Amino acid sequence: MDASPARGSRSSASRSLEPACRAPAMKVSYLRVFAGGLLAILLVLVLCFRQLPTSPAEPNARAGGDPGEAAGARGVTVLLWYHPFGARRAMPDCAALYAIPGCIVTANRSAYPRADAVLVHHRDIRGNVSRLPQSARRGAQKWIWMNFESPTHTKHLERLEGLFNMTMSYKLGSDIFVPYGYLERARAPPRRVPLPTKRRLVAWVVSNWNEAHARVVFYWNLRRYVPIDVYGRAGAELVGDSVVRTVSAYKFYLAWENSQHTDYITEKLWHNALQSSAVPVVLGPPRSNYEKFLPADAFIHVDDFSGPAQLAAYLRFLARNPRSYLRYFAWKRRYTVHVASFWHEHYCAACAAVRASARHAKVVSDLALWFHA
Ligand SMILES: *[C@@H]1O[C@H](CO)[C@@H](O)[C@H](O)[C@H]1NC(C)=O
Ligand SMILES: *[C@@H]1O[C@H](CO)[C@@H](O)[C@H](O)[C@H]1NC(C)=O
Ligand SMILES: *[C@@H]1O[C@H](CO)[C@@H](O)[C@H](O)[C@H]1NC(C)=O
Protein backbone atom coordinates (compact mmCIF):
# COMPACT_ATOMS: atom_id res chain seq x y z
CA MET A 1 0.00 0.00 0.00
CA ASP A 2 1.74 3.05 -1.17
CA ALA A 3 -0.38 6.11 -0.73
CA SER A 4 2.52 8.55 -0.67
CA PRO A 5 2.31 9.78 -4.29
CA ALA A 6 -1.26 10.99 -3.74
CA ARG A 7 -0.34 12.69 -0.50
CA GLY A 8 2.68 14.30 -2.12
CA SER A 9 0.67 15.85 -4.94
CA ARG A 10 -1.91 17.13 -2.49
CA SER A 11 0.63 19.00 -0.37
CA SER A 12 2.40 20.48 -3.37
CA ALA A 13 -0.98 21.70 -4.65
CA SER A 14 -1.65 23.50 -1.39
CA ARG A 15 1.84 24.98 -1.38
CA SER A 16 1.43 26.43 -4.88
CA LEU A 17 -1.82 28.07 -3.77
CA GLU A 18 -0.27 29.98 -0.88
CA PRO A 19 1.06 33.06 -2.71
CA ALA A 20 -2.31 33.73 -4.36
CA CYS A 21 -4.01 33.53 -1.00
CA ARG A 22 -1.60 35.93 0.66
CA ALA A 23 -2.11 38.54 -2.03
CA PRO A 24 -5.16 40.19 -0.41
CA ALA A 25 -3.26 41.05 2.78
CA MET A 26 -0.52 42.81 0.78
CA LYS A 27 -3.07 44.79 -1.14
CA VAL A 28 -4.91 46.16 1.91
CA SER A 29 -3.20 49.57 1.71
CA TYR A 30 -4.51 50.08 -1.84
CA LEU A 31 -8.08 49.78 -0.58
CA ARG A 32 -8.16 53.38 0.55
CA VAL A 33 -6.94 54.57 -2.83
CA PHE A 34 -8.74 52.43 -5.36
CA ALA A 35 -12.46 51.86 -4.98
CA GLY A 36 -12.33 48.97 -7.38
CA GLY A 37 -9.64 47.25 -5.30
CA LEU A 38 -12.22 45.94 -2.89
CA LEU A 39 -13.97 44.00 -5.60
CA ALA A 40 -10.71 42.48 -6.82
CA ILE A 41 -9.76 41.37 -3.33
CA LEU A 42 -13.14 39.77 -2.75
CA LEU A 43 -12.68 37.90 -6.01
CA VAL A 44 -9.25 36.59 -4.97
CA LEU A 45 -10.62 35.53 -1.59
CA VAL A 46 -13.49 33.65 -3.16
CA LEU A 47 -11.11 31.91 -5.57
CA CYS A 48 -8.74 30.94 -2.76
CA PHE A 49 -11.49 29.44 -0.62
CA ARG A 50 -12.90 27.55 -3.58
CA GLN A 51 -9.55 26.03 -4.48
CA LEU A 52 -8.10 25.17 -1.10
CA PRO A 53 -7.83 21.39 -0.90
CA THR A 54 -9.45 19.55 1.97
CA SER A 55 -6.95 19.20 4.74
CA PRO A 56 -6.11 15.55 5.52
CA ALA A 57 -6.33 16.52 9.18
CA GLU A 58 -10.10 17.05 8.85
CA PRO A 59 -11.41 13.66 7.80
CA ASN A 60 -15.04 14.72 7.81
CA ALA A 61 -14.65 18.04 6.06
CA ARG A 62 -16.18 16.77 2.82
CA ALA A 63 -18.61 14.37 4.38
CA GLY A 64 -20.50 16.83 6.62
CA GLY A 65 -24.30 16.80 6.52
CA ASP A 66 -24.90 18.92 3.43
CA PRO A 67 -23.88 16.59 0.56
CA GLY A 68 -26.27 14.06 2.11
CA GLU A 69 -29.23 16.35 1.61
CA ALA A 70 -27.98 17.29 -1.85
CA ALA A 71 -27.69 13.64 -2.85
CA GLY A 72 -31.45 13.32 -2.49
CA ALA A 73 -33.49 10.16 -2.14
CA ARG A 74 -31.08 7.99 -4.12
CA GLY A 75 -28.06 9.01 -2.06
CA VAL A 76 -26.16 6.26 -0.26
CA THR A 77 -24.48 6.81 3.10
CA VAL A 78 -21.54 4.59 3.95
CA LEU A 79 -20.31 4.81 7.52
CA LEU A 80 -16.68 3.88 8.08
CA TRP A 81 -16.67 2.36 11.56
CA TYR A 82 -12.89 2.62 12.15
CA HIS A 83 -10.22 4.35 10.12
CA PRO A 84 -8.06 1.46 8.86
CA PHE A 85 -5.09 0.89 11.16
CA GLY A 86 -6.22 3.89 13.20
CA ALA A 87 -4.93 6.37 10.60
CA ARG A 88 -7.43 9.19 10.11
CA ARG A 89 -7.85 10.27 6.51
CA ALA A 90 -10.07 12.64 4.59
CA MET A 91 -13.20 11.03 3.18
CA PRO A 92 -13.43 10.85 -0.61
CA ASP A 93 -15.69 12.77 -2.93
CA CYS A 94 -16.72 9.76 -5.02
CA ALA A 95 -18.41 11.84 -7.71
CA ALA A 96 -15.27 13.89 -8.36
CA LEU A 97 -12.79 11.01 -8.06
CA TYR A 98 -14.63 8.10 -9.67
CA ALA A 99 -17.76 9.59 -11.25
CA ILE A 100 -19.85 7.72 -8.68
CA PRO A 101 -22.56 10.23 -7.73
CA GLY A 102 -24.75 10.40 -4.64
CA CYS A 103 -22.33 8.89 -2.13
CA ILE A 104 -21.75 10.12 1.35
CA VAL A 105 -18.80 8.41 2.96
CA THR A 106 -18.40 9.47 6.54
CA ALA A 107 -16.63 8.38 9.71
CA ASN A 108 -19.07 10.29 11.91
CA ARG A 109 -20.86 7.66 13.95
CA SER A 110 -23.87 9.87 14.49
CA ALA A 111 -24.81 8.77 10.95
CA TYR A 112 -25.29 5.19 12.20
CA PRO A 113 -29.10 5.15 12.46
CA ARG A 114 -29.59 6.31 8.88
CA ALA A 115 -26.48 4.77 7.23
CA ASP A 116 -27.15 2.42 4.33
CA ALA A 117 -23.97 0.53 5.10
CA VAL A 118 -21.37 0.22 7.84
CA LEU A 119 -17.88 -0.51 6.61
CA VAL A 120 -15.78 -2.51 9.06
CA HIS A 121 -12.04 -3.01 8.53
CA HIS A 122 -11.19 -6.44 9.88
CA ARG A 123 -7.83 -5.60 11.40
CA ASP A 124 -9.39 -2.91 13.53
CA ILE A 125 -11.86 -5.22 15.27
CA ARG A 126 -9.66 -8.34 15.39
CA GLY A 127 -12.55 -10.67 16.13
CA ASN A 128 -13.66 -8.56 19.10
CA VAL A 129 -17.39 -8.25 18.43
CA SER A 130 -17.82 -5.57 21.09
CA ARG A 131 -15.94 -3.27 18.70
CA LEU A 132 -18.84 -3.57 16.24
CA PRO A 133 -21.89 -1.25 16.48
CA GLN A 134 -23.85 -2.22 19.58
CA SER A 135 -27.21 -0.57 18.93
CA ALA A 136 -29.91 -2.16 16.78
CA ARG A 137 -29.32 -2.08 13.06
CA ARG A 138 -31.85 -0.66 10.66
CA GLY A 139 -33.50 -3.41 8.62
CA ALA A 140 -32.02 -2.50 5.27
CA GLN A 141 -28.58 -1.50 6.61
CA LYS A 142 -25.69 -3.59 5.36
CA TRP A 143 -22.58 -4.37 7.30
CA ILE A 144 -19.56 -4.81 5.09
CA TRP A 145 -16.58 -6.88 6.13
CA MET A 146 -13.47 -5.28 4.58
CA ASN A 147 -10.08 -6.95 4.57
CA PHE A 148 -6.96 -6.81 2.41
CA GLU A 149 -4.64 -8.99 4.46
CA SER A 150 -4.01 -12.61 3.52
CA PRO A 151 -5.65 -15.46 5.47
CA THR A 152 -2.36 -15.98 7.34
CA HIS A 153 -2.79 -12.51 8.83
CA THR A 154 -6.57 -12.61 9.28
CA LYS A 155 -7.58 -14.03 12.64
CA HIS A 156 -10.81 -14.97 14.40
CA LEU A 157 -13.13 -15.08 11.42
CA GLU A 158 -15.23 -17.75 13.13
CA ARG A 159 -16.40 -15.13 15.63
CA LEU A 160 -17.88 -13.03 12.85
CA GLU A 161 -20.17 -15.56 11.19
CA GLY A 162 -23.72 -14.38 10.58
CA LEU A 163 -22.98 -10.72 11.33
CA PHE A 164 -22.09 -9.26 7.95
CA ASN A 165 -24.05 -8.79 4.75
CA MET A 166 -21.28 -8.18 2.24
CA THR A 167 -17.60 -9.00 1.86
CA MET A 168 -14.98 -6.73 0.37
CA SER A 169 -11.49 -7.98 -0.38
CA TYR A 170 -8.93 -8.85 -3.04
CA LYS A 171 -10.42 -12.33 -3.28
CA LEU A 172 -12.48 -13.30 -6.34
CA GLY A 173 -16.05 -13.93 -5.31
CA SER A 174 -16.07 -11.04 -2.82
CA ASP A 175 -19.33 -9.11 -3.00
CA ILE A 176 -17.13 -6.08 -3.54
CA PHE A 177 -14.03 -7.28 -5.36
CA VAL A 178 -11.20 -4.77 -5.16
CA PRO A 179 -7.90 -6.30 -6.25
CA TYR A 180 -4.62 -4.57 -5.42
CA GLY A 181 -4.32 -3.81 -9.10
CA TYR A 182 -5.37 -4.92 -12.55
CA LEU A 183 -4.62 -4.43 -16.24
CA GLU A 184 -7.05 -2.28 -18.15
CA ARG A 185 -7.36 -2.01 -21.91
CA ALA A 186 -5.29 0.85 -23.25
CA ARG A 187 -7.50 3.50 -24.84
CA ALA A 188 -4.89 4.31 -27.48
CA PRO A 189 -2.60 1.31 -27.89
CA PRO A 190 0.97 2.56 -28.39
CA ARG A 191 3.01 1.43 -31.39
CA ARG A 192 6.22 1.24 -29.43
CA VAL A 193 6.73 0.56 -25.77
CA PRO A 194 10.03 2.14 -24.76
CA LEU A 195 11.55 0.76 -21.58
CA PRO A 196 13.64 2.63 -19.01
CA THR A 197 17.39 1.99 -19.30
CA LYS A 198 18.19 -1.16 -17.37
CA ARG A 199 21.76 -1.73 -16.30
CA ARG A 200 20.99 -3.84 -13.26
CA LEU A 201 19.64 -7.33 -12.85
CA VAL A 202 17.43 -8.23 -9.88
CA ALA A 203 15.80 -6.00 -7.26
CA TRP A 204 13.73 -6.77 -4.21
CA VAL A 205 12.04 -4.31 -1.88
CA VAL A 206 11.14 -5.84 1.45
CA SER A 207 10.07 -4.32 4.73
CA ASN A 208 8.87 -7.31 6.71
CA TRP A 209 11.90 -9.62 6.92
CA ASN A 210 10.93 -12.92 8.47
CA GLU A 211 13.18 -15.98 8.22
CA ALA A 212 10.09 -18.19 8.42
CA HIS A 213 8.62 -16.71 5.23
CA ALA A 214 8.95 -18.85 2.10
CA ARG A 215 10.23 -15.79 0.26
CA VAL A 216 13.20 -15.30 2.63
CA VAL A 217 14.12 -18.97 2.36
CA PHE A 218 13.98 -18.65 -1.44
CA TYR A 219 16.04 -15.47 -1.33
CA TRP A 220 18.93 -17.14 0.49
CA ASN A 221 18.93 -19.90 -2.10
CA LEU A 222 18.59 -17.71 -5.16
CA ARG A 223 21.31 -15.25 -4.19
CA ARG A 224 23.85 -18.08 -4.33
CA TYR A 225 23.39 -17.98 -8.13
CA VAL A 226 22.53 -14.41 -9.03
CA PRO A 227 23.15 -11.03 -7.34
CA ILE A 228 20.01 -9.55 -5.75
CA ASP A 229 19.86 -5.92 -4.61
CA VAL A 230 17.68 -5.63 -1.53
CA TYR A 231 15.91 -2.35 -0.69
CA GLY A 232 13.49 -1.23 1.97
CA ARG A 233 13.52 -1.51 5.74
CA ALA A 234 15.63 -4.65 5.44
CA GLY A 235 18.05 -3.30 2.83
CA ALA A 236 19.31 -0.21 1.00
CA GLU A 237 17.48 3.09 0.81
CA LEU A 238 15.17 3.60 -2.17
CA VAL A 239 16.38 6.02 -4.84
CA GLY A 240 14.53 9.29 -4.24
CA ASP A 241 12.29 7.45 -1.77
CA SER A 242 10.53 5.93 -4.79
CA VAL A 243 10.01 2.25 -5.53
CA VAL A 244 9.38 2.93 -9.22
CA ARG A 245 12.51 5.07 -9.65
CA THR A 246 14.57 2.43 -7.91
CA VAL A 247 13.20 -0.65 -9.62
CA SER A 248 13.05 0.87 -13.13
CA ALA A 249 16.83 0.44 -13.38
CA TYR A 250 16.43 -3.34 -13.01
CA LYS A 251 15.48 -6.02 -15.50
CA PHE A 252 13.71 -8.19 -12.91
CA TYR A 253 11.79 -7.63 -9.74
CA LEU A 254 11.05 -10.24 -7.07
CA ALA A 255 7.30 -9.80 -6.49
CA TRP A 256 7.20 -12.15 -3.55
CA GLU A 257 4.18 -12.25 -1.28
CA ASN A 258 4.51 -12.54 2.50
CA SER A 259 2.26 -15.61 2.41
CA GLN A 260 0.86 -17.78 -0.36
CA HIS A 261 -2.91 -17.74 -0.86
CA THR A 262 -5.48 -17.82 -3.66
CA ASP A 263 -5.83 -14.40 -5.36
CA TYR A 264 -3.45 -12.80 -2.85
CA ILE A 265 -1.46 -10.83 -5.40
CA THR A 266 -0.51 -7.45 -4.06
CA GLU A 267 0.99 -4.12 -5.10
CA LYS A 268 4.33 -5.93 -5.19
CA LEU A 269 3.29 -7.18 -8.62
CA TRP A 270 1.18 -4.28 -9.91
CA HIS A 271 3.08 -1.31 -8.56
CA ASN A 272 6.59 -2.43 -7.66
CA ALA A 273 7.18 -4.58 -10.74
CA LEU A 274 4.80 -3.72 -13.59
CA GLN A 275 4.65 0.02 -13.02
CA SER A 276 8.46 0.00 -12.90
CA SER A 277 8.67 -1.95 -16.17
CA ALA A 278 10.62 -4.74 -14.49
CA VAL A 279 9.68 -8.32 -15.30
CA PRO A 280 8.01 -9.77 -12.19
CA VAL A 281 9.45 -12.98 -10.79
CA VAL A 282 6.50 -14.05 -8.68
CA LEU A 283 6.20 -16.18 -5.57
CA GLY A 284 2.62 -16.43 -4.36
CA PRO A 285 -0.33 -18.57 -5.44
CA PRO A 286 0.25 -21.02 -8.33
CA ARG A 287 0.85 -19.81 -11.90
CA SER A 288 -2.71 -20.75 -12.92
CA ASN A 289 -4.03 -18.27 -10.35
CA TYR A 290 -1.84 -15.44 -11.67
CA GLU A 291 -3.05 -16.21 -15.17
CA LYS A 292 -6.57 -15.22 -14.14
CA PHE A 293 -5.28 -11.68 -13.72
CA LEU A 294 -2.55 -11.15 -16.29
CA PRO A 295 -1.20 -12.75 -19.47
CA ALA A 296 0.89 -15.88 -19.04
CA ASP A 297 3.87 -14.21 -20.77
CA ALA A 298 3.89 -11.13 -18.52
CA PHE A 299 5.65 -12.77 -15.57
CA ILE A 300 8.05 -15.48 -14.46
CA HIS A 301 6.89 -17.85 -11.71
CA VAL A 302 9.42 -19.43 -9.36
CA ASP A 303 7.51 -22.71 -9.77
CA ASP A 304 8.39 -22.73 -13.49
CA PHE A 305 11.83 -24.00 -12.50
CA SER A 306 13.11 -27.05 -10.71
CA GLY A 307 15.12 -24.82 -8.37
CA PRO A 308 16.89 -21.51 -7.77
CA ALA A 309 19.90 -22.45 -9.94
CA GLN A 310 17.65 -23.02 -12.97
CA LEU A 311 15.73 -19.80 -12.32
CA ALA A 312 18.98 -17.83 -12.01
CA ALA A 313 20.28 -19.33 -15.26
CA TYR A 314 17.07 -18.28 -17.04
CA LEU A 315 17.28 -14.71 -15.73
CA ARG A 316 20.88 -14.49 -16.99
CA PHE A 317 19.81 -15.90 -20.35
CA LEU A 318 17.08 -13.23 -20.70
CA ALA A 319 19.50 -10.50 -19.67
CA ARG A 320 21.75 -11.49 -22.60
CA ASN A 321 18.90 -11.91 -25.11
CA PRO A 322 16.91 -8.70 -25.53
CA ARG A 323 14.46 -10.22 -28.00
CA SER A 324 13.41 -12.88 -25.51
CA TYR A 325 13.42 -10.37 -22.67
CA LEU A 326 11.21 -7.87 -24.51
CA ARG A 327 8.52 -10.49 -25.07
CA TYR A 328 7.63 -10.08 -21.42
CA PHE A 329 6.35 -6.59 -22.24
CA ALA A 330 3.92 -7.58 -25.01
CA TRP A 331 1.08 -6.70 -22.59
CA LYS A 332 2.08 -3.04 -22.76
CA ARG A 333 0.73 -2.80 -26.29
CA ARG A 334 -2.76 -3.68 -25.05
CA TYR A 335 -2.97 -2.68 -21.42
CA THR A 336 -2.07 -0.14 -18.81
CA VAL A 337 -1.66 -0.91 -15.12
CA HIS A 338 -4.19 0.28 -12.60
CA VAL A 339 -3.06 0.22 -8.96
CA ALA A 340 -5.81 0.46 -6.35
CA SER A 341 -5.70 3.63 -4.35
CA PHE A 342 -6.05 2.96 -0.63
CA TRP A 343 -8.63 3.79 0.69
CA HIS A 344 -10.71 6.18 -1.37
CA GLU A 345 -11.20 3.74 -4.22
CA HIS A 346 -12.39 1.12 -1.75
CA TYR A 347 -14.89 3.35 0.03
CA CYS A 348 -16.37 4.52 -3.26
CA ALA A 349 -16.55 0.95 -4.60
CA ALA A 350 -18.47 0.05 -1.44
CA CYS A 351 -20.91 2.88 -2.03
CA ALA A 352 -21.54 1.83 -5.64
CA ALA A 353 -22.03 -1.80 -4.62
CA VAL A 354 -24.44 -0.92 -1.81
CA ARG A 355 -26.55 1.08 -4.21
CA ALA A 356 -26.50 -1.68 -6.84
CA SER A 357 -27.64 -4.29 -4.32
CA ALA A 358 -30.15 -2.13 -2.47
CA ARG A 359 -32.92 -4.71 -2.74
CA HIS A 360 -30.73 -7.71 -2.14
CA ALA A 361 -30.57 -9.23 1.34
CA LYS A 362 -27.78 -11.57 2.37
CA VAL A 363 -26.09 -12.85 5.49
CA VAL A 364 -22.44 -13.94 5.31
CA SER A 365 -22.34 -17.18 7.30
CA ASP A 366 -19.33 -18.92 5.77
CA LEU A 367 -16.75 -16.19 6.16
CA ALA A 368 -13.96 -18.35 7.62
CA LEU A 369 -14.49 -21.23 5.20
CA TRP A 370 -14.71 -18.98 2.16
CA PHE A 371 -11.84 -16.65 2.99
CA HIS A 372 -9.41 -19.41 3.89
CA ALA A 373 -10.24 -21.49 0.82
C1 LIG B 1 -21.10 14.40 13.49
O1 LIG B 1 -22.42 14.68 13.04
C2 LIG B 1 -23.20 15.39 13.98
C3 LIG B 1 -24.63 15.46 13.48
O2 LIG B 1 -24.70 15.77 12.13
C4 LIG B 1 -22.58 16.77 14.19
O3 LIG B 1 -23.32 17.48 15.16
C5 LIG B 1 -21.15 16.59 14.68
O4 LIG B 1 -20.51 17.83 14.77
C6 LIG B 1 -20.37 15.71 13.74
N1 LIG B 1 -19.05 15.41 14.33
C7 LIG B 1 -17.92 15.62 13.66
C8 LIG B 1 -16.66 15.26 14.39
O5 LIG B 1 -17.89 16.08 12.52
C1 LIG C 1 -12.98 -5.56 22.92
O1 LIG C 1 -13.40 -4.25 22.58
C2 LIG C 1 -13.95 -3.54 23.68
C3 LIG C 1 -14.51 -2.24 23.12
O2 LIG C 1 -13.55 -1.53 22.41
C4 LIG C 1 -12.87 -3.33 24.74
O3 LIG C 1 -13.41 -2.63 25.84
C5 LIG C 1 -12.36 -4.70 25.18
O4 LIG C 1 -11.29 -4.52 26.07
C6 LIG C 1 -11.91 -5.52 23.97
N1 LIG C 1 -11.61 -6.88 24.41
C7 LIG C 1 -10.45 -7.46 24.12
C8 LIG C 1 -10.30 -8.88 24.61
O5 LIG C 1 -9.56 -6.91 23.50
C1 LIG D 1 -27.77 -8.33 7.39
O1 LIG D 1 -27.33 -9.28 8.33
C2 LIG D 1 -28.09 -9.31 9.52
C3 LIG D 1 -27.39 -10.22 10.52
O2 LIG D 1 -27.42 -11.52 10.12
C4 LIG D 1 -29.51 -9.73 9.17
O3 LIG D 1 -30.29 -9.75 10.36
C5 LIG D 1 -30.10 -8.75 8.17
O4 LIG D 1 -31.38 -9.19 7.76
C6 LIG D 1 -29.20 -8.59 6.96
N1 LIG D 1 -29.67 -7.48 6.16
C7 LIG D 1 -29.64 -7.44 4.84
C8 LIG D 1 -30.18 -6.22 4.20
O5 LIG D 1 -29.16 -8.33 4.16
Side-chain angles (χ1 to χ4, degrees), residues 131-209:
R131 288 175 67 78
L132 291 169
Q134 297 297 305
S135 45
R137 108 171 71 169
R138 195 162 63 75
Q141 185 178 79
K142 292 192 163 118
W143 288 13
I144 304 170
W145 177 82
M146 174 170 75
N147 180 43
F148 289 88
E149 304 298 326
S150 80
T152 297
H153 299 105
T154 304
K155 305 284 186 228
H156 306 309
L157 287 183
E158 68 290 346
R159 297 179 191 167
L160 305 179
E161 302 295 5
L163 288 174
F164 287 91
N165 305 102
M166 296 179 103
T167 55
M168 168 152 126
S169 81
Y170 61 83
K171 198 170 157 73
L172 278 173
S174 301
D175 298 302
I176 309 166
F177 171 58
V178 187
Y180 277 83
Y182 54 86
L183 295 182
E184 55 188 348
R185 286 242 167 236
R187 281 198 208 98
R191 279 164 177 242
R192 284 168 15 89
V193 282
L195 293 182
T197 308
K198 296 179 175 295
R199 298 212 167 80
R200 297 164 173 221
L201 205 55
V202 185
W204 187 27
V205 179
V206 58
S207 50
N208 175 11
W209 188 278

Side-chain angles (χ1 to χ4, degrees), residues 2-343:
D2 188 1
S4 48
R7 251 184 275 128
S9 61
R10 177 183 290 264
S11 62
S12 67
S14 63
R15 230 176 285 127
S16 67
L17 274 168
E18 276 173 22
C21 294
R22 281 204 207 98
M26 283 150 50
K27 282 188 182 169
V28 164
S29 59
Y30 293 105
L31 259 174
R32 301 188 186 113
V33 189
F34 301 108
L38 186 61
L39 198 65
I41 287 158
L42 280 173
L43 205 71
V44 170
L45 276 172
V46 166
L47 284 175
C48 282
F49 277 106
R50 252 166 39 95
Q51 287 182 24
L52 277 173
T54 312
S55 158
E58 297 162 23
N60 292 314
R62 270 167 193 255
D66 294 340
E69 268 69 76
R74 284 175 58 249
V76 170
T77 298
V78 174
L79 170 60
L80 179 65
W81 196 245
Y82 287 103
H83 284 278
F85 306 106
R88 296 179 74 83
R89 284 165 195 268
M91 293 292 115
D93 175 344
C94 299
L97 289 172
Y98 301 107
I100 300 173
C103 290
I104 306 109
V105 185
T106 178
N108 185 337
R109 289 188 179 181
S110 66
Y112 177 72
R114 63 186 161 85
D116 297 285
V118 178
L119 194 50
V120 177
H121 184 237
H122 181 79
R123 272 292 274 268
D124 293 287
I125 57 162
R126 290 209 162 93
N128 181 349
V129 292
S130 38
R131 288 175 67 78
L132 291 169
Q134 297 297 305
S135 45
R137 108 171 71 169
R138 195 162 63 75
Q141 185 178 79
K142 292 192 163 118
W143 288 13
I144 304 170
W145 177 82
M146 174 170 75
N147 180 43
F148 289 88
E149 304 298 326
S150 80
T152 297
H153 299 105
T154 304
K155 305 284 186 228
H156 306 309
L157 287 183
E158 68 290 346
R159 297 179 191 167
L160 305 179
E161 302 295 5
L163 288 174
F164 287 91
N165 305 102
M166 296 179 103
T167 55
M168 168 152 126
S169 81
Y170 61 83
K171 198 170 157 73
L172 278 173
S174 301
D175 298 302
I176 309 166
F177 171 58
V178 187
Y180 277 83
Y182 54 86
L183 295 182
E184 55 188 348
R185 286 242 167 236
R187 281 198 208 98
R191 279 164 177 242
R192 284 168 15 89
V193 282
L195 293 182
T197 308
K198 296 179 175 295
R199 298 212 167 80
R200 297 164 173 221
L201 205 55
V202 185
W204 187 27
V205 179
V206 58
S207 50
N208 175 11
W209 188 278
N210 183 333
E211 296 291 339
H213 284 171
R215 61 185 184 185
V216 173
V217 174
F218 205 97
Y219 163 80
W220 289 120
N221 284 319
L222 185 60
R223 57 162 272 166
R224 287 157 59 200
Y225 307 100
V226 68
I228 300 170
D229 291 349
V230 179
Y231 293 90
R233 215 178 298 160
E237 238 172 76
L238 295 169
V239 177
D241 210 21
S242 155
V243 169
V244 169
R245 274 185 63 189
T246 307
V247 176
S248 294
Y250 288 83
K251 289 196 165 68
F252 305 99
Y253 181 78
L254 304 182
W256 290 358
E257 305 299 348
N258 62 29
S259 48
Q260 286 67 53
H261 298 278
T262 306
D263 304 335
Y264 186 63
I265 299 171
T266 68
E267 81 289 345
K268 296 167 182 67
L269 173 84
W270 304 108
H271 176 67
N272 299 16
L274 296 183
Q275 283 195 323
S276 308
S277 297
V279 173
V281 177
V282 303
L283 186 163
R287 167 172 273 281
S288 57
N289 193 214
Y290 279 90
E291 290 181 9
K292 285 187 180 169
F293 303 100
L294 77 169
D297 61 359
F299 65 97
I300 295 167
H301 198 296
V302 297
D303 292 349
D304 297 343
F305 303 89
S306 51
Q310 291 75 9
L311 169 58
Y314 184 64
L315 299 183
R316 289 184 186 283
F317 161 80
L318 289 177
R320 286 192 312 268
N321 292 274
R323 281 177 62 117
S324 302
Y325 177 76
L326 288 175
R327 274 190 213 124
Y328 282 92
F329 295 98
W331 63 269
K332 280 186 175 243
R333 287 199 293 269
R334 284 171 291 151
Y335 301 105
T336 56
V337 185
H338 173 89
V339 175
S341 167
F342 283 88
W343 291 87

